[in-house]
Amino acid sequence: MIVPAVFDAVQYSYSLPPAVGERVCWELVWNESMGRWWSALQPGWRITTALRPADEDPVMMLGGRDMQERVAVQPSIASSGGLRVRYETAAPVPLSLTMHGAVRVLATTNPRPGRRDALPPTPGFATFGEVTRLRLVSMLIDWELKREGWIRMEPAPGAEWIYELAEPPPTLHHYRPPGEDTSAVRNEVLLVDLAVPD
């Protein structure tokens, strides 16, 4: 199966980006926001996986209607074939999870030289695969008013620029578009097609 994986600027600071044909071992993560943010990156990509609790204690996070309540979430593993994806959910953990958009690279076994704080994939969460395609995606991100007065950055639908690449760029850029009187910024990510055993 082909899994779209986002290698973002945070991961660029910790790990070397992959090359086409490279075999990799990554820890991947997904949540509903990623599905919404990256829905235009791989239209139609959707996968339903088995879901089970990970061997990790629940963590306390802010949540609830006003995002001020402390809510316990259980780290879980979504799996299908050779794919393993970290997902956090309230207990009880559902039996399945349907992911869309893209997953995000959380950890790799290829740290940047000198980065001693780069952590390898957590045991049980490792996905092994081969990189088959690279694309640079530039997304226009702007502020959006959400429910109950919350404001947050969201990609502007239909404003993505996608470029095919033969090799990964040395860096990713984050910049305000020139000549535009707006709060919007352009944010680049590396989109990787990862071939994973079915």
Side-chain angles (χ1 to χ4, degrees):
M1 78 181 88
I2 300 296
V3 177
V6 170
F7 203 96
D8 64 13
V10 172
Q11 198 55 48
Y12 251 77
S13 69
Y14 287 98
S15 304
L16 294 170
V20 172
E22 184 178 344
R23 298 225 17 105
V24 297
C25 174
W26 288 345
E27 182 173 344
L28 305 170
V29 65
W30 186 85
N31 61 36
E32 286 77 9
S33 294
M34 291 175 194
R36 187 177 64 251
W37 267 58
W38 297 327
S39 62
L41 302 190
Q42 194 80 11
W45 180 75
R46 180 174 296 274
I47 185 170
T48 299
T49 64
L51 189 64
R52 64 177 173 79
D55 293 331
E56 296 179 6
D57 292 330
V59 294
M60 298 302 291
M61 302 181 79
L62 289 177
R65 283 186 47 90
D66 59 1
M67 292 300 289
Q68 298 300 317
E69 300 171 31
R70 291 177 57 81
V71 177
V73 296
Q74 175 63 53
S76 303
I77 302 171
S79 61
S80 177
L83 178 65
R84 303 287 178 271
V85 180
R86 178 179 287 275
Y87 178 73
E88 294 181 343
T89 185
V93 175
L95 296 176
S96 65
L97 173 68
T98 299
M99 296 181 286
H100 56 92
V103 297
R104 178 177 168 260
V105 179
L106 188 62
T108 78
T109 54
N110 196 11
R112 285 197 177 272
R115 280 308 293 249
R116 295 190 180 129
D117 55 348
L119 298 174
T122 305
F125 285 99
T127 293
F128 296 88
E130 182 178 342
V131 174
T132 60
R133 184 181 184 192
L134 297 175
R135 286 170 282 171
L136 181 70
V137 179
S138 174
M139 296 183 295
L140 185 67
I141 302 174
D142 204 351
W143 293 102
E144 278 196 14
L145 181 63
K146 294 297 178 186
R147 65 179 173 84
E148 299 179 16
W150 285 89
I151 297 177
R152 65 179 175 203
M153 298 291 276
E154 289 282 339
E160 303 84 4
W161 301 340
I162 302 177
Y163 307 92
E164 293 287 336
L165 300 176
E167 57 187 45
T171 188
L172 298 173
H173 299 92
H174 180 83
Y175 60 94
R176 185 176 307 283
E180 292 192 29
D181 184 21
T182 177
S183 60
V185 295
R186 282 223 162 254
N187 189 46
E188 293 179 349
V189 298
L190 181 65
L191 180 61
V192 178
D193 277 10
L194 185 64
V196 176
D198 291 340

